[in-house]
Amino acid sequence: MQTQKSPIYLKAITIRDINDMPSIKDEVKKDIILILRVTPLAQKDVEELRKIIEELYRYVRSTGGDIARLGEERVVVTPPSVKIWRESYDLK
């Protein structure tokens, strides 16, 4: 008999400023995979974007999740049950 697994959700969010952080952290707590679009904030304030990403990195790592850049415009955040493949992990 196959057990029913709960689905893993993926959500796209645009980061506009520091005020978006509480809702992003809430989504991380719900074990949702996030694709964060950073372009609008990068065009407005690169220093604020850097601070937000550093805070998010520390938070996500403290939960056991994973975070990585996805090209120039996006960041992907995963829950502890999902790991991001990196070239250094090449499993041959």
Side-chain angles (χ1 to χ4, degrees), residues 7-73:
I8 297 174
Y9 291 96
L10 182 138
K11 185 173 186 178
I13 299 173
T14 298
I15 300 178
R16 291 185 173 80
D17 58 42
I18 193 73
N19 297 322
D20 293 329
M21 285 300 288
S23 63
I24 291 169
K25 287 179 178 180
D26 285 343
E27 299 296 350
V28 170
K29 289 177 194 170
K30 295 176 189 172
D31 286 342
I32 294 174
I33 297 171
L34 301 175
I35 296 178
L36 306 173
R37 187 168 169 263
V38 299
T39 306
L41 182 55
Q43 292 170 342
K44 186 170 72 175
D45 189 342
V46 174
E47 187 60 27
E48 183 178 10
L49 174 61
R50 188 183 64 75
K51 289 177 185 175
I52 289 171
I53 295 300
E54 285 176 2
E55 178 184 338
L56 186 61
Y57 178 86
R58 285 190 302 273
Y59 178 76
V60 169
R61 299 303 288 195
S62 75
T63 67
D66 208 352
I67 182 169
R69 205 162 113 181
L70 195 61
E72 293 295 316
E73 300 182 1

